[in-house]
Amino acid sequence: QVQLVESGGDLVKPGDSLRLSCAASGFLIGDYYMTWIRQVPGKGLEWLAYISISGSDIYYADSVKGRFTISRDIAKNSLFLRMNSLRADDTAVYYCARSKGGNTEFDKWGQGTLVTVSS
Amino acid sequence: SYDLTQPPSVSVSPGQTASITCSGDELGDKFASWYQQKPGQSPLLVIYHDTKRPSGIPERFSGSNSGNTATLTISGTQAMDESDYYCQAWDGTTVVFGGGTKLTVL
């Protein structure tokens, strides 16, 4: 059964760092593009970053470039998102999702993990 | 940056046809995907490559994409189709989502 399970969401203070994880099962993350997408409660979807099948292509949205880092551990079949210098407007549900490649659809999403940034 | 524009809301009566549009510059030259999201759930892919339905998605869901507009059409809309719907496309190396449309079935 194909499954993505995010974890690591928490209540943190502005300026803090946090690392999110996305554990995959039923498929190998090395066979897919893996992506992080977030959603502010009650708002729309925002793409954040993705890592290609080879791992050599990594792209970020301008809103998080320089603060967030996407990575993966093939052996653990897991995707990560390191978030630094967190701000109140980073408060959102964070989803990981897979796609077969660039310019393709996201056919499987995790359930999301909530990050709240508040003093 | 590339933008995709959706109407904030669309209303439809049960059994009728609902159409949700997604507009973007030369969107027809890209592949459009559509996602359904119900409250408290993660998005679910309902249309990809403009017109294709994933396994398990009812035939009443269909899509088209031409010119500057992609359209998600739900024929014979049912109460269970009441959800938020998001279009999505790739612009080069970035991923773009539309702002979402709340479909109300009343």
Side-chain angles (χ1 to χ4, degrees), chain A residues 3-7 20-24 27 29 33-38 49 70 78-81 93-99 106-113, chain B residues 42-43:
Chain A
Q3 199 171 10
L4 292 166
V5 179
E6 300 93 336
S7 61
L20 304 182
S21 300
C22 170
F27 74 100
I29 64 167
Y33 274 47
M34 297 300 297
T35 298
W36 285 99
I37 295 158
R38 71 183 177 186
I70 188 172
S78 293
L79 179 73
F80 305 101
L81 185 69
V93 175
Y94 286 71
Y95 297 102
C96 61
R98 74 172 195 183
S99 60
F106 300 104
D107 68 339
K108 191 64 182 178
W109 299 60
Q111 87 289 347
T113 187
Chain B
S42 54

Coordinates of all heavy atoms in Angstrom, one line a residue, chain A residues 3-7 20-24 27 29 33-38 49 70 78-81 93-99 106-113, chain B residues 42-43:
Chain A
Q3 N 1.9 4.8 0.7 CA 1.6 5.7 1.8 C 2.7 6.7 2.1 O 3.9 6.4 1.9 CB 1.4 4.9 3.1 CG 0.6 5.6 4.2 CD 0.2 4.7 5.3 OE1 0.6 3.6 5.4 NE2 -0.7 5.3 6.2
L4 N 2.3 7.9 2.4 CA 3.3 8.9 2.8 C 2.8 9.4 4.2 O 1.6 9.8 4.3 CB 3.3 10.1 1.8 CG 3.9 9.8 0.5 CD1 3.5 10.9 -0.6 CD2 5.4 9.6 0.6
V5 N 3.7 9.5 5.1 CA 3.3 9.9 6.5 C 4.3 11.0 7.0 O 5.5 10.7 7.2 CB 3.4 8.7 7.5 CG1 3.0 9.2 8.9 CG2 2.4 7.6 7.0
E6 N 3.8 12.2 7.1 CA 4.6 13.3 7.6 C 4.6 13.3 9.1 O 3.7 12.9 9.8 CB 4.0 14.6 7.1 CG 4.0 14.8 5.6 CD 2.6 14.4 5.0 OE1 1.9 13.6 5.7 OE2 2.2 14.9 4.0
S7 N 5.7 13.9 9.6 CA 5.8 14.1 11.1 C 6.8 15.2 11.4 O 7.4 15.7 10.5 CB 6.3 12.8 11.8 OG 7.6 12.4 11.3
L20 N 11.0 18.6 9.3 CA 9.9 17.7 9.1 C 10.4 16.5 8.3 O 11.3 16.5 7.6 CB 8.9 18.4 8.2 CG 8.3 19.8 8.7 CD1 7.3 20.3 7.7 CD2 7.7 19.6 10.1
S21 N 9.7 15.4 8.6 CA 10.0 14.1 7.9 C 8.8 13.6 7.2 O 7.6 13.9 7.5 CB 10.4 13.1 8.9 OG 11.6 13.5 9.7
C22 N 9.0 12.8 6.2 CA 8.0 12.2 5.4 C 8.4 10.8 5.1 O 9.4 10.6 4.3 CB 7.7 13.0 4.1 SG 6.7 12.2 2.9
A23 N 7.8 9.8 5.7 CA 8.2 8.4 5.6 C 7.3 7.8 4.5 O 6.1 7.9 4.6 CB 8.0 7.7 6.9
A24 N 8.0 7.2 3.5 CA 7.3 6.6 2.4 C 7.2 5.1 2.6 O 8.2 4.5 3.1 CB 7.9 6.9 1.1
F27 N 6.5 2.1 -2.0 CA 7.2 2.5 -3.2 C 8.6 3.1 -2.7 O 8.8 3.4 -1.5 CB 6.4 3.6 -4.0 CG 6.4 5.0 -3.4 CD1 7.3 6.0 -3.8 CD2 5.5 5.2 -2.3 CE1 7.2 7.2 -3.2 CE2 5.5 6.5 -1.7 CZ 6.4 7.5 -2.2
I29 N 11.2 6.2 -2.8 CA 11.2 7.6 -3.1 C 12.3 7.9 -4.2 O 12.2 8.9 -4.9 CB 11.5 8.5 -1.9 CG1 12.9 8.2 -1.3 CG2 10.4 8.3 -0.8 CD1 13.3 9.2 -0.2
Y33 N 10.0 12.0 -8.2 CA 10.2 13.4 -7.7 C 9.4 13.5 -6.4 O 8.3 13.0 -6.3 CB 9.6 14.4 -8.6 CG 10.5 14.9 -9.8 CD1 11.2 13.9 -10.5 CD2 10.7 16.2 -10.1 CE1 12.1 14.3 -11.6 CE2 11.5 16.6 -11.1 CZ 12.2 15.7 -11.9 OH 13.0 16.1 -12.9
M34 N 10.0 14.0 -5.4 CA 9.4 14.2 -4.1 C 9.3 15.7 -3.8 O 10.3 16.5 -3.9 CB 10.1 13.5 -3.0 CG 10.2 12.0 -3.2 SD 8.5 11.2 -3.2 CE 7.9 11.6 -1.6
T35 N 8.2 16.1 -3.3 CA 7.8 17.6 -3.2 C 7.2 17.9 -1.8 O 6.5 17.1 -1.2 CB 6.8 17.9 -4.3 OG1 7.4 17.7 -5.6 CG2 6.4 19.4 -4.2
W36 N 7.5 19.1 -1.3 CA 6.8 19.6 -0.2 C 5.9 20.7 -0.6 O 6.3 21.6 -1.4 CB 7.8 20.2 0.9 CG 8.6 19.1 1.6 CD1 9.8 18.7 1.4 CD2 8.1 18.4 2.8 NE1 10.2 17.7 2.3 CE2 9.1 17.5 3.1 CE3 6.9 18.4 3.5 CZ2 9.0 16.6 4.2 CZ3 6.7 17.5 4.6 CH2 7.8 16.7 4.9
I37 N 4.7 20.7 -0.1 CA 3.6 21.7 -0.4 C 3.0 22.0 1.0 O 2.9 21.2 1.8 CB 2.6 21.0 -1.3 CG1 3.2 20.7 -2.7 CG2 1.4 22.0 -1.5 CD1 2.5 19.7 -3.4
R38 N 2.6 23.3 1.1 CA 2.0 23.7 2.4 C 0.7 24.4 2.2 O 0.4 24.8 1.0 CB 2.9 24.6 3.2 CG 3.1 26.0 2.7 CD 4.1 26.8 3.6 NE 4.4 28.1 3.1 CZ 5.3 28.9 3.6 NH1 6.0 28.6 4.6 NH2 5.4 30.1 3.0
A49 N 9.1 23.1 -2.5 CA 10.4 22.6 -3.0 C 10.2 21.2 -3.5 O 9.2 20.5 -3.1 CB 11.4 22.6 -1.8
I70 N 15.4 21.0 1.4 CA 14.8 19.7 1.2 C 15.9 18.7 1.0 O 17.0 19.0 0.4 CB 13.9 19.7 -0.1 CG1 13.1 18.4 -0.2 CG2 14.7 20.0 -1.3 CD1 12.1 18.4 -1.3
S78 N 12.9 8.1 3.1 CA 12.3 9.2 3.7 C 12.7 10.6 3.1 O 13.8 10.7 2.7 CB 12.6 9.3 5.2 OG 12.0 8.2 5.9
L79 N 11.8 11.5 3.2 CA 12.0 12.9 2.7 C 12.0 13.8 3.9 O 11.3 13.5 4.9 CB 10.9 13.3 1.7 CG 10.9 14.6 1.1 CD1 12.0 14.7 0.0 CD2 9.6 15.0 0.5
F80 N 12.8 14.9 3.8 CA 12.9 15.8 4.9 C 12.8 17.2 4.4 O 13.0 17.6 3.3 CB 14.3 15.6 5.6 CG 14.5 14.2 6.1 CD1 15.4 13.4 5.3 CD2 13.9 13.7 7.2 CE1 15.6 12.1 5.7 CE2 14.1 12.4 7.6 CZ 15.0 11.6 6.9
L81 N 12.4 18.1 5.4 CA 12.4 19.5 5.1 C 12.9 20.2 6.3 O 12.3 20.2 7.4 CB 11.0 20.1 4.8 CG 10.9 21.5 4.4 CD1 11.6 21.7 3.0 CD2 9.5 22.0 4.3
V93 N -0.2 23.7 7.4 CA -0.1 22.3 7.3 C 0.9 22.0 6.1 O 0.7 22.5 5.0 CB -1.5 21.6 7.0 CG1 -1.3 20.1 6.8 CG2 -2.4 21.9 8.2
Y94 N 1.9 21.1 6.4 CA 2.9 20.8 5.4 C 2.6 19.4 4.9 O 2.6 18.4 5.7 CB 4.3 20.9 6.0 CG 4.7 22.4 6.2 CD1 4.1 23.2 7.2 CD2 5.6 23.0 5.4 CE1 4.4 24.5 7.4 CE2 6.0 24.3 5.6 CZ 5.4 25.0 6.5 OH 5.7 26.4 6.7
Y95 N 2.5 19.3 3.6 CA 2.3 18.0 2.9 C 3.5 17.6 2.1 O 4.2 18.4 1.5 CB 1.2 18.1 1.9 CG -0.2 18.4 2.5 CD1 -0.7 19.7 2.4 CD2 -1.0 17.4 3.1 CE1 -2.0 20.0 2.9 CE2 -2.2 17.7 3.6 CZ -2.7 18.9 3.5 OH -4.0 19.2 4.0
C96 N 3.8 16.3 2.1 CA 4.8 15.8 1.1 C 3.9 15.1 0.0 O 2.8 14.6 0.3 CB 5.8 14.8 1.7 SG 5.2 13.3 2.5
A97 N 4.4 15.1 -1.2 CA 3.7 14.4 -2.3 C 4.7 13.9 -3.3 O 5.9 14.4 -3.4 CB 2.8 15.5 -3.0
R98 N 4.3 12.9 -4.1 CA 5.2 12.4 -5.1 C 4.7 12.6 -6.5 O 3.5 12.8 -6.7 CB 5.3 10.9 -4.9 CG 4.1 10.1 -5.3 CD 4.4 8.6 -5.3 NE 3.3 7.9 -6.0 CZ 3.2 6.6 -6.1 NH1 4.1 5.8 -5.5 NH2 2.2 6.0 -6.8
S99 N 5.6 12.7 -7.4 CA 5.2 12.7 -8.9 C 6.2 11.9 -9.6 O 7.3 11.7 -9.2 CB 5.1 14.2 -9.4 OG 6.4 14.8 -9.2
F106 N 0.8 15.2 -9.1 CA 1.0 14.7 -7.7 C 0.0 13.6 -7.4 O -1.2 14.0 -7.1 CB 1.1 15.8 -6.7 CG 2.1 16.8 -7.0 CD1 1.7 18.1 -7.5 CD2 3.4 16.6 -6.8 CE1 2.7 19.0 -7.8 CE2 4.4 17.5 -7.1 CZ 4.0 18.7 -7.6
D107 N 0.4 12.4 -7.6 CA -0.6 11.3 -7.5 C -0.8 10.7 -6.1 O -1.7 9.9 -5.9 CB -0.3 10.2 -8.5 CG 1.0 9.4 -8.1 OD1 1.8 9.9 -7.4 OD2 1.1 8.3 -8.6
K108 N 0.1 11.1 -5.2 CA -0.1 10.6 -3.8 C 0.4 11.7 -2.9 O 1.5 12.3 -3.1 CB 0.8 9.3 -3.6 CG 0.5 8.6 -2.3 CD -1.0 8.1 -2.3 CE -1.3 7.4 -1.0 NZ -2.7 7.0 -0.9
W109 N -0.4 12.0 -1.9 CA -0.1 13.0 -0.8 C -0.1 12.3 0.5 O -0.9 11.4 0.8 CB -1.1 14.1 -0.9 CG -1.2 14.9 -2.1 CD1 -1.5 14.4 -3.4 CD2 -1.1 16.3 -2.3 NE1 -1.6 15.4 -4.3 CE2 -1.3 16.6 -3.6 CE3 -0.8 17.3 -1.4 CZ2 -1.2 17.9 -4.1 CZ3 -0.7 18.6 -1.9 CH2 -0.9 18.9 -3.2
G110 N 0.7 12.9 1.4 CA 0.5 12.5 2.8 C -0.6 13.2 3.5 O -1.3 14.0 2.8
Q111 N -0.8 12.9 4.8 CA -1.9 13.5 5.5 C -1.6 14.9 6.0 O -2.5 15.6 6.5 CB -2.4 12.6 6.6 CG -1.6 12.8 8.0 CD -0.2 12.3 7.9 OE1 0.3 11.6 7.0 NE2 0.6 12.6 8.9
G112 N -0.4 15.2 6.0 CA 0.0 16.6 6.5 C 0.5 16.6 7.9 O 0.0 15.8 8.7
T113 N 1.3 17.6 8.2 CA 1.7 17.9 9.6 C 1.7 19.4 9.9 O 2.1 20.1 9.0 CB 3.1 17.3 9.9 OG1 3.4 17.4 11.3 CG2 4.2 18.0 9.1
Chain B
S42 N -6.3 15.6 2.9 CA -5.3 16.0 2.0 C -5.9 16.0 0.6 O -6.9 15.4 0.3 CB -4.0 15.1 2.1 OG -4.4 13.8 1.9
P43 N -5.2 16.7 -0.3 CA -5.8 16.8 -1.7 C -5.7 15.4 -2.4 O -4.9 14.6 -2.1 CB -4.8 17.8 -2.4 CG -4.3 18.6 -1.3 CD -4.2 17.7 -0.1

